[in-house]
Amino acid sequence: MATEHILELTGLSKSFGGNRVITALDLAISRGGVTSLVGPNGAGKTTLFDLVTGFLTPDAGRVRLLGRDITGKPPHLVARAGIVRTFQSLRLFSSLTVLENVLLAADSEAGMRSSSERHESARVAMERAGVAGLADVRAADLSFAEQKFVSLARAIAKPAGLMLLDEPASGLDGPSLRRFHAIVRALVDEGRTVLLIEHNLDIVRQISDRVAFLNNGRLLAHGTPDEIFAMEELAALYFGDDAAT
Amino acid sequence: MIPYAESLLIFTSLAVILASSLNLMLGYGGMFSAAHAVFYGIGAYTASLLALHVNSSILLCVPAAMIAGGVAGALLAVPALRVKEEYFVVASLGFQVIASTVFNQWVAVTGGIGGLTGIPPASFMSIQVDSYGGYLVLALLCAAGVLIALKLLVRSEFGRALRALRDDEAALQALGRDPVRLRVATVVIAAMLAAIAGAIYAYFTSFVNPESFSLDESILIMVMVIIGGTGTLTGPVLGAVFITTFPALLSFVQIPSTILGPTQRVVYGAVITLLMIYEPEGLLGFLRRISRVASFSALRRWQPSTSSS
Ligand SMILES: Nc1ncnc2c1ncn2[C@@H]1O[C@H](COP(=O)(O)OP(=O)(O)OP(=O)(O)O)[C@@H](O)[C@H]1O
Ligand SMILES: [Mg+2]
């Protein structure tokens, strides 16, 4: 088993009705570092996350985490196996406070840890995401940027080796972006592997160790940012489909 | 206190237990159940059989009733929730119909339509509970105990997960929680609590038969929760008090007993419809609104004097 790869996708395919959204996709993510998944709207990026985390079952192909086959496992078992994810639409628990939101990530490690330990890890996660001051605010009452960082704090509180972040930086302003950047680098420094979806290519260039380019459900390229950005046909494809970015 | 008032309060306490426990499923777990009277009934039959054939001690009968109720809850929840939670209400309806059939037909155990009679009064250590006052204390203690237990539960780590489940199931799954297990646990706990009411009912009336645990009763409990307001601890209490004391109020206005039943149903239906249209948060929301209006007008009365000072 090739365990130098934390995540290994082989021949992954998914269609909705007759619409092929992911086609025979092979992708191996090494342990550590940040990989950005880029591609035009509708390329299948979120669908890929859903396939990895068990929210969707692939029509074909395998998903391996540290060499272990997790294909078709339900989301909660994938999470326990060591993958934490965020959602494009954030999906905070809106009637719960920020602390409760983050505690729920720590809670699922119950059995091994006492309540005070869980509170401590929630506090640390909120601190790292810069939302400790919001602990008692109801999630529904947060601003958009605050919600994004709380969603990040919730993911951080879960001690998972692989983090899948779906557009965590979209809509953030300059200072927030710098904060986000620092948070992600700190996660990598502590040995986590981050796979993130991002449309803004400046951010991708700054933050990524590797870039995977997805178009129409196919992986067109996977390499260092310099390699990927040097490929003119990819840039053309990207800007052609998504001129606004 | 006159026995009538005491007995009304006892039934109100039991209704509070039933509505509050159903609310754990409905208001927190999002599961509509038309089978809550089954757990009430299982509790009543279990306590009755033990009291009749073994010992009438509360310390034996109530825990046994709770266990039997919990097992019944698991019997409903495990298969029903494995499929899809949307079907839960349908599964619960089927469960209620099956249970009613068993209560009616398994004569050797349940006494069939005639039920079980001569259930001995509750005992606790050497104390015999044999007065209305005694049962009132017992019922109030149980209702208070159930409410405190629910309050602690909702605030606990389990309750936090349950509230999160209501907000966003996918997000909870992504954090490693199994929603099916959470829902099954919720149904089992709610069923155990409902069974307590059944045990007290059996002791108090010294008679149980299937009629008390029918689909009608299940729907009435659901009405209590919906009228009172789901998802809070106070709402179902208000609903239970309203539904149990309402017939008593009607009897004061001298409605002929032949049309009492239909009148009640029409009024319940009208109240539910009006609440759904004007106050989806139920009686509790209605009372909150009134108190806001009241405190607002109080504020207005109070303000001029302070602004002038
Ligand atoms: N549940 C579904 N049923 C049917 N079609 C779907 C479903 N989910 C996604 N799709 C389709 O699959 C395609 C890929 O969607 P996906 O959300 O994965 O794109 P994406 O790369 O994340 O795009 P974006 O950048 O806009 O978030 C789209 O055409 C979408 O309409
Ligand atoms: Mg997407």
Side-chain angles (χ1 to χ4, degrees), chain A residues 55 75-76 79-80 85 87 91-96 100 103-105 107-108 110 118 154 158, chain B residues 155 157 160-179 181:
Chain A
F55 284 92
H76 65 276
R80 286 183 209 167
R85 75 169 289 184
F87 295 89
R91 291 183 169 272
L92 295 183
F93 305 117
S94 55
S95 71
L96 273 55
E100 286 180 313
L103 266 174
L104 275 156
D107 279 347
S108 45
R118 280 182 260 142
R154 203 167 62 176
K158 191 146 185 58
Chain B
R155 282 199 193 157
E157 195 248 301
R160 180 157 64 224
L162 206 55
R163 285 177 288 130
L165 181 67
R166 185 173 59 177
D167 279 357
D168 198 315
E169 178 166 346
L172 196 62
Q173 283 179 291
L175 296 177
R177 283 305 184 96
D178 181 359
R181 259 183 71 170

Side-chain angles (χ1 to χ4, degrees), chain B residues 36-211:
Chain B
H36 215 54
V38 174
F39 310 129
Y40 182 36
I42 300 264
Y45 280 109
T46 305
S48 303
L49 290 167
L50 285 171
L52 281 167
H53 302 300
V54 185
N55 187 312
S56 72
S57 167
I58 291 174
L59 299 180
L60 168 71
C61 297
V62 173
M66 290 175 76
I67 292 170
V71 170
L75 277 177
L76 164 63
V78 172
L81 293 169
R82 289 272 157 225
V83 189
K84 213 167 195 325
E85 126 232 11
E86 283 85 354
Y87 299 145
F88 187 80
V89 67
V90 181
S92 73
L93 193 62
F95 191 69
Q96 171 71 58
V97 171
I98 293 168
S100 284
T101 310
V102 172
F103 292 159
N104 274 299
Q105 304 294 325
W106 198 13
V107 180
V109 173
T110 65
I113 299 173
L116 300 171
T117 55
I119 298 155
S123 63
F124 177 72
M125 315 293 234
S126 60
I127 308 164
Q128 283 263 329
V129 186
D130 46 16
S131 65
Y132 275 66
Y135 278 105
L136 179 56
V137 171
L138 182 60
L140 285 173
L141 282 177
C142 286
V146 165
L147 288 176
I148 291 169
L150 285 171
K151 185 160 185 101
L152 294 175
L153 191 70
V154 169
R155 282 199 193 157
S156 72
E157 195 248 301
F158 176 81
R160 180 157 64 224
L162 206 55
R163 285 177 288 130
L165 181 67
R166 185 173 59 177
D167 279 357
D168 198 315
E169 178 166 346
L172 196 62
Q173 283 179 291
L175 296 177
R177 283 305 184 96
D178 181 359
V180 174
R181 259 183 71 170
L182 263 176
R183 289 206 175 86
V184 169
T186 307
V187 175
V188 168
I189 293 169
M192 290 175 84
L193 297 178
I196 298 175
I200 307 303
Y201 173 85
Y203 282 133
F204 176 58
T205 59
S206 79
F207 165 70
V208 294
N209 81 344
E211 217 176 285

